Each structure stands twice: as C-alpha cells, then as structure tokens.
C-alpha cells in the first residue's frame, strides 16, 4: 500500500472557480446534434424535436455553457442557412466532416434547447471561408434588441428578446492544415482583430476568444500564440487551448498521467500570454479558454479524408472505460488547479461524439463512465480552489517522466463551511492511504468519500448495462481533531467532502 499526505488551508488560495469551467461542446458532427440532442419522433421528443432524456441528463451534468456549432464544422458554415422556416433552409455538404447538413437545427433552435438545460451559448463564428461582415451580422441577429435588419429577422423568426450571447469564438483551430480556410498566424491574427473589433462595435459587452494552437504538438505552438496575441490583444479576452488524450501501445501508466501534459500546456500558454502583455505594455491580462478537451482515441478514427459523404454518420463514438473516466476526472483536477487563469472549459463533446452521453436512435440515452466524475466535479467543485502541496510516492512513465501516484485539488465552499477534495490514485495495483490535515478548518466535523473504480479497469457502460460503471459510496473516513485518513482504491477517481 502507498501512503500520501496533504494539508488543506484556506489561507492558500489559487482563485475562484468560474462556473463556465464546466462547459461542454455541441458540434454539427456525427450524431451529436441529429440523433443526439435532437430527434423528432423519439418517444421523449418535445414539440420542437429535442430529446427530453438527453436534456435531463445534461441538466444533471450542471453544464453552464455549451460551445456551438463547431469545431471544424464552423469554418465552412453559413449561419444564415440555419434561420427562418425549416422547409426553406438549404441542404449543404459539410466539408469538414463530409456530412449532409439539413440545417434543421440552427441558432434559434439551439438557443431554445440551451434554455431548457440551463446553459448559455458560447458561439463560434466562421473565420475560415467568411469574416467580418458575417460575424458582425451574426452578433446583430443574436444580441441587438430590435429595429435593425438582422434583429428584426430574429424577431420575425419567433425570438422577440435578444439572445444576449456573451462569449464568442473567433474561428476554430485556424493553424490546422485540415481546417477549411487555414491561415498563417499573421493572416489569422489580423482577421481576428478586425472581426472582433466590428463585433464589439455591435455589442460592446461581448467576450472574445482568439484561437490558440490546435494542440501542444503543433510545430508552430508558442510562436502562433505570441503572434496572434500580439495582433489581437486589444480585442481578445481569452486564448483557446485544445487537447485530447488516449492510451497508446498499452502504456497505461503514461495515459493515467495525462494531466501532467495538460498542466504543462496551460502553464506554457500562460507564460506566452504574459510575455505578450509585458512586451506590449498592456494593462489587462489574457485568460484561457480550454474549449476542447477529452479522452479521444484518434488512432481509431479513419480520418476525414477517408469518409464517404452521408447523413448522420456514426463518427468518433468512443466507448469509455473506467480507466478513461479516471483520466477525465484527473483532467478536471488540472483545470481546477489553474482556475486563476482557466476561466472557461468545454468538454468535447456532449453526446455520442466522444460524448459523456450516448443515445440509441429511437431508444435509450445513458451515461458513459466519464459522465460521473464530470457531473460530481461540476456539482461540488464550486467555490475557491486551494493550493495543495501533496507528499506522494512517484512512478516513472515513458511519456511524462516521473509523476506522483496521487494527484489532488481542493475547493473551498463559498460559505467556507465545507471543502471538497478531488483526488486520483494512479497506481493500477495498490491502494493509497491519504492523510489529510484540515486543522486550519476547525469547524469541519464529518467526511464523505465517493470513488469511481472497478475491479475490471476496462469495464464500460452500454445500452444493455448503463450503470455498470458508477460512483460508489465508501466507508466515511473519521475526521478526528482536524485530521483524517482515506483509502483510495487502485486506479480510482475520488471525491472526499468535508463538512
């Protein structure tokens, strides 16, 4: 058995958790929209065609913001195709995912759905095939009250009140050669700066996200962020980060330490953004929007160029094991650990496509294993992140070098009457006894321990067994004079609530 320890002290604060850290992502990709959130004729469908079972599971997740409509999809998308009478909307070929797009769901329908699940929209604009004019018109359509061409079009389409969408993405992954309208950093930076300026002239209250590198492995990583931020610093509020992780070649030890890569990624982007701030003598600070992250087995995907053009294809529908769920929980720990700078996060994606939720056409909707650490962290990880310095045994990985067996973060409740500890035991064989010193919070008197683990690390949830992998309530650790010991099962994600 391993032993580790940490101290929880409310004096050592990282920052407040922005609830938008627990956002998700809905893209017109595969079955995320059609047969995902939207399926007219489904037994649970509402009068607008949206699945009530999926909406209920989304509300349970506590998702406060959802990025839409892409993703790669947005770089070839004309938003005007998705407004007005559905019968009059054009059917298009989406070149990003080689799919027939019927445009039955557009901005108006999505806003209606988002309202039913209690989420705001994080809207993306097309800076691949389009630019300033389409983007400023889009903001006018969504956010201007009335009395102009586009705001009156919205009202005529049934939305008398403005949508008041606050967060807008200036394109998507524009450094990626796979992107429609791929650009150099200077080309993108200039376009993003002028587009953002025009959008903010329509609505000065909006927040804008500039595209960072598509991932940390891009050859232009770092220099792309520096160039783009030098061009957009005056209009951007955030720079984006995207990262996906998977187990490779049976190296589960490295996979379980994926959060070490996320930590390094975040810290590198923060350093670059602060360098641009210093060089430009700017007063404001650019924060981070980690608006695509998840476990994604990209090696199983044939690649867009190999896809036939079809309607509602089953694309990228990874089924997640308990091991994958532990990694997802650990990635959330990383995001929380950097809550002072990571203000927005979007798990990609919500339904079917590397989704937290899976659906059967005409049938059931169920929670993937990864749903559980996300839902519990979203529900209980609200308040102020506390800085921890755990003492833990370490192990060697081929990818990340030496990493600790224990990874953990603590969140102090807003009323300071409770604290929640999120922790993972990365060891695949041994339990870990965790000693927690919480004497700096003398009002605490009880503890609850919930863990996600399984005797079979490859166990999954599916339609026939939707609850095969689920959180377990373990014996409550005894809190004695401000100290407790909790036993973390092998290969597990854990939540310990102190109150």
């Amino acid at each position: 058995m391993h032993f580790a320890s940490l101290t929880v002290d409310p004096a050592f604060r990282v920052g407040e958790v922005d609830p938008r850290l627990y956002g998700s992502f809905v893209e017109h990709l595969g079955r995320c929209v059609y047969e995902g959130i939207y399926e007219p004729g489904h037994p649970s469908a509402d009068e607008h065609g949206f699945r009530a079972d999926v909406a209920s599971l989304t509300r349970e997740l506590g998702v406060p913001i959802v990025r839409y409509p892409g993703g790669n999809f947005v770089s070839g998308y004309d938003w005007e195709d998705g407004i007005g009478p559905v019968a009059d909307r054009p059917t298009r070929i989406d070149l990003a995912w080689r799919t027939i797009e019927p445009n039955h769901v557009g901005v108006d329908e999505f806003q209606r759905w988002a309202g039913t699940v209690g989420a705001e929209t994080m809207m993306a604009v097309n800076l691949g095939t389009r630019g300033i004019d389409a983007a400023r018109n889009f903001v006018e359509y969504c956010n201007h009250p009335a009395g102009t061409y586009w705001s009156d079009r919205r009202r005529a389409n049934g939305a008398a009140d403005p949508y008041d969408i606050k967060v807008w993405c200036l394109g998507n992954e524009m450094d990626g050669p796979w992107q429609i309208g791929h650009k150099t950093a200077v080309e993108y930076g200039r376009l993003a700066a002028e587009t953002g300026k025009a959008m903010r002239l329509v609505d000065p209250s909006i927040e804008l996200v500039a595209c960072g590198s598509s991932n940390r492995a891009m050859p232009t990583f770092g220099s792309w962020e520096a160039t783009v931020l030098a061009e957009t610093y005056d209009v951007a509020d955030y720079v984006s980060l995207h990262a996906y992780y998977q187990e490779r070649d049976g190296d589960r030890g490295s996979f379980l330490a994926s959060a070490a890569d996320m930590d390094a990624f975040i810290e590198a982007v923060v350093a670059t953004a602060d360098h641009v701030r210093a060089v430009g003598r700017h007063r404001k600070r650019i924060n981070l929007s980690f608006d695509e992250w998840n476990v994604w087995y990209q090696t199983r995907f044939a690649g867009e160029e190999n896809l036939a053009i079809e309607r509602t294809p089953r694309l990228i529908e990874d089924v997640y094991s308990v091991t994958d769920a532990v990694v997802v929980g650990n990635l959330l720990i990383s995001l929380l650990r950097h809550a002072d700078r990571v203000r927005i996060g979007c798990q990609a994606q919500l339904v079917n496509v590397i989704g937290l939720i899976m659906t059967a056409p005409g049938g059931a909707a169920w929670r993937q294993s990864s749903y559980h650490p996300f839902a519990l962290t979203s529900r209980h990880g609200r308040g102020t992140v506390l800085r921890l310095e755990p003492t833990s045994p370490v192990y060697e990985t081929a990818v990340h070098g030496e990493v600790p067996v224990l990874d953990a973060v603590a969140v102090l409740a807003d009323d300071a009457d409770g604290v929640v500890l999120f922790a993972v035991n990365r060891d695949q064989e041994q339990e870990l006894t965790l000693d927690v010193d919480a004497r700096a919070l003398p009002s605490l008197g009880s503890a609850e321990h919930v863990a996600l683990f399984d005797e079979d690390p490859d166990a999954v949830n599916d339609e026939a067994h939707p609850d095969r992998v689920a959180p377990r309530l373990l014996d409550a650790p005894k809190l004695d004079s401000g100290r407790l010991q909790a036993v973390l099962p092998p290969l597990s994600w854990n939540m310990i609530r102190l109150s």
Side-chain angles (χ1 to χ4, degrees):
M1 179 182 289
H2 292 302
F3 294 88
S5 64
L6 57 83
T7 299
V8 178
D9 192 322
F12 299 103
R13 303 186 175 210
V14 174
E16 297 292 323
V17 178
D18 189 322
R20 298 176 301 177
L21 193 70
Y22 303 116
S24 192
F25 181 25
V26 168
E27 181 174 2
H28 285 250
L29 160 58
R31 296 194 310 124
C32 188
V33 175
Y34 306 110
E35 296 184 6
I37 66 171
Y38 177 81
E39 189 181 346
H42 187 273
S44 78
D46 65 17
E47 67 272 26
H48 304 294
F50 289 99
R51 289 183 57 150
D53 54 355
V54 173
S56 177
L57 289 173
T58 303
R59 285 190 291 272
E60 184 183 325
L61 275 174
V63 172
I65 194 167
V66 180
R67 186 168 173 245
Y68 176 83
N72 295 353
F73 173 82
V74 78
S75 293
Y77 178 55
D78 295 346
W79 67 267
E80 303 91 335
D81 287 349
I83 63 173
V86 172
D88 296 340
R89 297 180 189 177
T91 296
R92 307 281 193 193
I93 298 176
D94 163 40
L95 297 178
W97 301 108
R98 298 182 62 77
T99 300
I100 301 297
E101 172 56 56
N103 284 303
H104 292 170
V105 174
V107 58
D108 298 306
E109 288 81 14
F110 187 78
Q111 285 301 115
R112 186 182 296 120
W113 175 82
T116 68
V117 299
E120 299 178 15
T121 298
M122 180 179 183
M123 188 67 75
V125 301
N126 177 356
L127 293 190
T129 61
R130 307 189 79 186
I132 299 171
D133 221 30
R136 70 184 177 111
N137 292 342
F138 200 5
V139 176
E140 181 183 318
Y141 182 88
C142 292
N143 287 7
H144 194 72
T148 66
Y149 177 80
W150 286 110
S151 62
D152 287 345
R153 284 282 300 272
R154 182 198 70 245
R155 291 170 63 86
N157 291 334
D161 296 326
Y163 295 135
D164 196 29
I165 297 171
K166 290 302 181 189
V167 186
W168 295 76
C169 300
L170 296 168
N172 174 75
E173 294 186 356
M174 296 310 300
D175 64 333
W178 57 86
Q179 205 69 213
I180 300 170
H182 161 65
K183 293 172 174 59
T184 67
V186 172
E187 289 170 339
Y188 167 72
R190 292 297 305 133
L191 176 60
E194 294 304 314
T195 302
K197 184 168 65 177
M199 293 168 69
R200 197 164 269 147
L201 286 171
V202 178
D203 183 352
S205 71
I206 62 175
E207 296 180 280
L208 298 172
V209 183
C211 287
S213 299
S214 302
N215 58 73
R216 190 180 175 217
M218 293 295 290
T220 55
F221 171 63
S223 61
W224 171 276
E225 280 81 358
T227 301
V228 166
L229 287 176
E231 296 285 356
T232 63
Y233 210 100
D234 288 337
V235 299
D237 300 287
Y238 308 91
V239 61
S240 70
L241 297 82
H242 293 176
Y244 296 101
Y245 299 97
Q246 70 172 84
E247 182 177 331
R248 295 178 182 273
D249 303 320
D251 183 4
R252 185 158 289 179
S254 292
F255 177 51
L256 286 166
S258 294
D261 179 86
M262 180 178 269
D263 288 339
F265 189 6
I266 290 169
E267 289 155 18
V269 174
V270 166
T272 303
D274 288 349
H275 167 76
V276 177
R277 178 176 183 256
V279 170
R281 295 169 174 79
H282 299 286
R283 296 179 64 86
K284 75 175 184 180
R285 195 180 299 276
I286 295 289
N287 286 318
L288 276 56
S289 173
F290 215 125
D291 46 46
E292 287 189 35
W293 68 269
N294 204 352
V295 171
W296 175 12
Y297 287 84
Q298 292 175 284
T299 52
R300 300 174 184 169
F301 179 48
E304 301 92 319
E305 67 279 3
N306 297 313
L307 301 176
I309 296 175
E310 55 184 317
R311 289 180 180 268
T312 323
R314 289 179 175 264
L315 295 179
I316 320 177
E317 297 195 7
D318 286 352
V319 176
Y320 291 126
S321 68
V322 67
T323 301
D324 299 321
V326 170
V327 172
V328 166
N330 201 172
L331 296 176
L332 284 161
I333 289 171
S334 176
L335 293 174
L336 282 168
R337 184 162 39 238
H338 299 93
D340 57 331
R341 297 299 292 272
V342 182
R343 310 302 295 167
I344 299 173
C346 297
Q347 169 275 334
Q349 294 186 13
L350 180 66
V351 190
N352 289 328
V353 178
I354 52 174
L356 299 176
I357 301 166
M358 296 296 286
T359 69
W366 63 95
R367 305 168 186 83
Q368 288 239 57
S369 63
S370 54
Y371 180 102
H372 296 294
F374 188 101
L376 288 168
T377 306
S378 173
R379 187 177 311 139
H380 300 288
R382 308 291 179 107
T384 302
V385 177
L386 303 181
R387 192 175 306 281
L388 301 180
E389 297 293 340
T391 299
S392 168
V394 298
Y395 71 102
E396 188 69 27
T397 70
V399 176
H400 311 292
E402 191 176 81
V403 297
V405 170
L406 170 75
D407 197 13
V409 71
V411 181
L412 182 69
D414 288 329
D415 58 10
D417 283 342
V419 67
V420 180
L421 184 69
F422 301 103
V424 293
N425 176 7
R426 292 167 169 160
D427 193 285
Q428 300 175 57
E429 303 293 338
Q430 297 187 54
E431 294 179 336
L432 184 147
T433 297
L434 175 61
D435 183 83
V436 179
D437 182 345
R439 288 176 293 178
L441 291 160
S443 65
L444 301 179
S446 63
E448 177 187 70
H449 184 184
V450 174
L452 188 76
F453 66 102
D454 198 275
E455 289 70 21
D456 178 3
D458 297 313
V460 301
N461 293 339
D462 55 27
E463 187 176 8
H465 308 92
D467 299 313
R468 170 67 177 84
V469 178
R472 306 186 197 184
L473 183 64
L474 303 185
D475 291 339
K478 183 178 293 186
L479 188 60
D480 185 15
S481 301
R483 303 186 73 103
L484 68 82
Q485 278 195 343
V487 178
L488 280 53
L491 208 166
S492 64
W493 173 88
N494 301 262
M495 181 182 75
I496 301 170
R497 297 177 63 200
L498 309 177
S499 58

